[in-house]
Amino acid sequence: MSADKPFTRENLDSCLKELAKEFRKKNGNRVPAEIVLVGGASILINYGFREMTYDMDAIIKSSSVMKDAINTVGDKLGLPVGWLNTDFVKTESYTPKLIECSKYYKTFSNILQVRTVSAEYLVAMKLMAGRQYKNDLSDVVGILVEQEETGEFLALETIKKAVADLYGSYEHLPENSRFFIESVFKKENLKEFYKECRELEMENKDILLDFQDDYPGVLNGDNLADILKAAKAKKQKQ
């Protein structure tokens, strides 16, 4: 697997299995480890609409040996640097309460327990992030579509409660995210809306990549939303 080859449902487990084996080799059998997969990896495990992700965002409860195990497996399998990372904990979407809201997935090599995030809490996280150039908003719609198809419909009130559980209050969501999720429940065809969201996200990503090419080093987490808004307005005028 090269740096530009994504994780899929087919290869994700094999990477985690290798990690568990390497962790056992370095740490022994006495102290187990726990990983809570969030974001794209959690969606890959629980849903079918997302085909891939390029890294695994996680909350890791383990000894310091885990970092060495991650790097060793990365080198062995040709994975990109940071293929399994905890950068997520630095974002607005993170809260330690996610561990309480996680659900069991699998145990690898009797030493590494992997958990994922339950549906409504995954939606809450995606709404808190609310990035219009990633998969956040389309992931929300994709989750709602599949939950309904499996007979486990997620109501707006359930999502609002999940947001409050994680972040203290529904009002803590960005205003755009609140507007988005409330509008989703007014849509008649969520499958079509999912496609529209993905197309918009990909268009926004292309706009930002073009801007980055023209003005390298300018984009950062603080100005990204404003630059995207300005760049889109400029493109529409053209």
Side-chain angles (χ1 to χ4, degrees), residues 73-128:
V73 170
D75 292 340
K76 179 180 178 181
L77 300 182
L79 303 175
V81 175
W83 69 273
L84 177 66
N85 66 82
T86 58
D87 294 347
F88 162 76
V89 302
K90 303 171 187 175
T91 70
E92 292 292 327
S93 298
Y94 171 72
T95 164
K97 293 179 181 178
L98 282 167
I99 298 173
E100 303 169 20
C101 301
S102 64
K103 62 180 183 178
Y104 177 77
Y105 174 52
K106 287 182 181 179
T107 298
F108 295 87
S109 299
N110 294 318
I111 193 74
L112 175 61
Q113 183 181 113
V114 178
R115 303 179 67 82
T116 64
V117 180
S118 301
E120 61 267 36
Y121 297 104
L122 198 48
V123 169
M125 286 172 51
K126 289 290 183 177
L127 290 171
M128 180 57 79

Side-chain angles (χ1 to χ4, degrees), residues 63-77:
S63 69
S64 58
V65 172
M66 179 59 76
K67 184 175 181 180
D68 291 336
I70 291 170
N71 292 335
T72 299
V73 170
D75 292 340
K76 179 180 178 181
L77 300 182

Side-chain angles (χ1 to χ4, degrees), residues 1-21:
M1 186 184 298
S2 65
D4 60 352
K5 185 174 181 180
F7 294 100
T8 65
R9 284 182 292 280
E10 288 69 33
N11 64 33
L12 188 147
D13 272 15
S14 63
C15 294
L16 292 172
K17 184 177 180 181
E18 284 297 320
L19 178 61
K21 288 165 59 178

Side-chain angles (χ1 to χ4, degrees), residues 7 47 62 73 80 104 115 124 126 154 164 169 174 194 226 233:
F7 294 100
Y47 299 98
S62 171
V73 170
Y104 177 77
R115 303 179 67 82
K126 289 290 183 177
L154 275 184
S169 167
Y194 172 80
D226 290 337

